[in-house]
Amino acid sequence: MTVTDLMSRRGPRTAWVLGGGGNLGSIQVGMLRALADRGEIPDLVVGCSVGALNGLAMAADPSPEGVERLRRTWLDVRGDALFPATKMSGPWMLLKKSPSLYPDDGLRDLIDRCAPYDRIEEYPIPFECVATNLATGRARWFDRGRVDHAVLASAALPAALPPVEIDGDRFIDGAVVDNVPISRAVHHGIERIIILHVGNFDRPRPTPKRPIDVLLQSFSIARNFRFDEDLARVPDDVEVVVIPGIDPGSVKRNDFGRTAELIERAHASTAAFLDLRAHHRTG
C-alpha cells in the first residue's frame, strides 16, 4: 500500500508533533513503530531538532516498513561519527576559537540517509521543521526548500554543532525556542494532535552540584514550561494524544550504545498506552 493509499483513509486531520531530544530520538522510533502498527497516518508532520530528522523520514513513509528503515538507520549511528574526538577535552573545549565544538559532517550524513527527497515540497505528507535565528532569536519555520539545510539548522545543537547559514541568516537548534512545536500544529487547524515528546516522564530533579548543572537544569525547566503552556492553550475541540515517554536513566549525549534497548522499551510502552486508550474509548 502506498502513502497515497494510506492517506486516503477518512478521519480527523491529524498532525504528528515530534520534539527534540538528541540521541533520545531513538525513543521516538519505538513510539512511531507502535503508531504505524496500529494504522496511524499523519496528515502533517511537525518536527524540531532530532524530531525533524525522524519526522522527515515519516513524511516520506509512515508505514511499518518506513519505520523499520528508520530503525535500521538509528542502529547504525555511532557517537564518534556525530561527535568525533578532539585533542582538547573537558571545559577547555569551550575555549576553542570556533563557533562549535564539532563539525556537522556526521549529522549531514545521517540526514542524507533519512531523506529520500531533496526538497521539502516533494514529500508525500506535508512536513515542517523549526530552527532558531541566531541574530533575532525568532523561530523560522521551513515548509519548503532543501531538506538537508532545514533539518541541519533545526538540529544544530548550540555550541556542539555549527550554526547553519540559510538565505543570509544563521540558524541554530529549534529547541531553543520551540522544543515541542504544538502551537504550529494548532496554527494549521489540525483536529487531532499526537505528540511524541521524549522528555515527557516524571523524575525528581537532582540537586545541582556544579554551575553547568544549574545551567542545563534551567534550560530543561524553560523547555518544559513552554510545553506545558502550549498544551494548555490547545483549543478544546482539538483532540490531543500525548505519548508517554520512558525514563532512559543517565545517558550521555554521545552515547548511542543503548539505541536498540530504548527503541524496544518505547515501543512496548507506547503499544500498551495506545491499546489501553483504545479499550477505554470503545468500552
Side-chain angles (χ1 to χ4, degrees), residues 29 61 80 158 188:
V29 180
D61 183 3
D80 59 354
H188 284 290

Side-chain angles (χ1 to χ4, degrees), residues 45 52-62 66-67 69-70 114-116 123 127:
V45 178
L53 179 73
N54 289 333
L56 73 90
M58 293 301 93
D61 183 3
V67 177
R69 282 192 291 273
L70 180 61
C114 290
Y123 279 70
F127 167 74

Side-chain angles (χ1 to χ4, degrees), residues 49-103:
S49 198
V50 74
L53 179 73
N54 289 333
L56 73 90
M58 293 301 93
D61 183 3
S63 70
E65 293 76 18
V67 177
E68 175 58 20
R69 282 192 291 273
L70 180 61
R71 186 187 73 88
R72 290 198 300 266
T73 298
W74 267 91
L75 292 177
D76 287 339
V77 176
R78 302 190 329 272
D80 59 354
L82 290 176
F83 306 106
T86 67
K87 294 180 180 179
M88 303 178 75
S89 62
W92 294 106
M93 292 185 68
L94 296 175
L95 300 179
K96 283 182 62 176
K97 291 184 178 181
S98 169
S100 67
L101 301 177
Y102 307 99

